[in-house]
Amino acid sequence: MSSEPEQRPLSPRLVLLMAIACGAAVANIYYAQPLLSTIAQEFSISDGTAGLLVTASQVGYAIGLVLLVPLGDLLERRRLVTRILVVTALALAATAAARCSPVAWRSSA
């Protein structure tokens, strides 16, 4: 006898929902690219400095893959995912509420 619970296959609708969620999460890294010149003008920074926004997003994503994905093997996944999503939502809200670029703010001081 096996002590593991019986696993049901995922429904096609759930697979589609998970695929859309994964695609949106990964696409989030690239959303700022078409807006870089507008971002640079709005925050009075160079296009190259604004380009660091996308670079930082991609580096952060890579670091997240290296550091957070292995935690899924060590910790309860539901709680881990919930906490990561809450932290991500708070970080995105703080970013959206920013009135200036930290780089521009430091250079103007």
Side-chain angles (χ1 to χ4, degrees):
M1 285 191 137
S2 174
S3 62
E4 292 185 26
E6 191 175 317
Q7 293 184 356
R8 294 179 293 167
L10 297 175
S11 71
R13 294 176 80 182
L14 182 58
V15 171
L16 178 63
L17 175 65
M18 290 177 12
I20 290 170
C22 288
V26 173
N28 186 44
I29 307 170
Y30 301 101
Y31 288 151
Q33 282 183 342
L35 303 171
L36 287 178
S37 63
T38 305
I39 291 169
Q41 289 173 355
E42 182 69 28
F43 290 111
S44 301
I45 56 178
S46 70
D47 286 343
T49 302
L52 292 175
L53 174 72
V54 175
T55 302
S57 298
Q58 291 172 341
V59 168
Y61 182 77
I63 290 171
L65 284 177
V66 170
L67 298 178
L68 296 176
V69 170
L71 286 178
D73 294 333
L74 302 174
L75 304 174
E76 181 197 359
R77 290 185 188 123
R78 181 173 290 201
R79 183 178 291 168
L80 176 65
V81 169
T82 302
R83 288 180 179 171
I84 290 172
L85 287 174
V86 167
V87 169
T88 302
L90 292 173
L92 287 172
T95 302
R99 297 201 179 263
C100 68
S101 164
V103 175
W105 181 66
R106 270 187 261 133
S107 66
S108 65

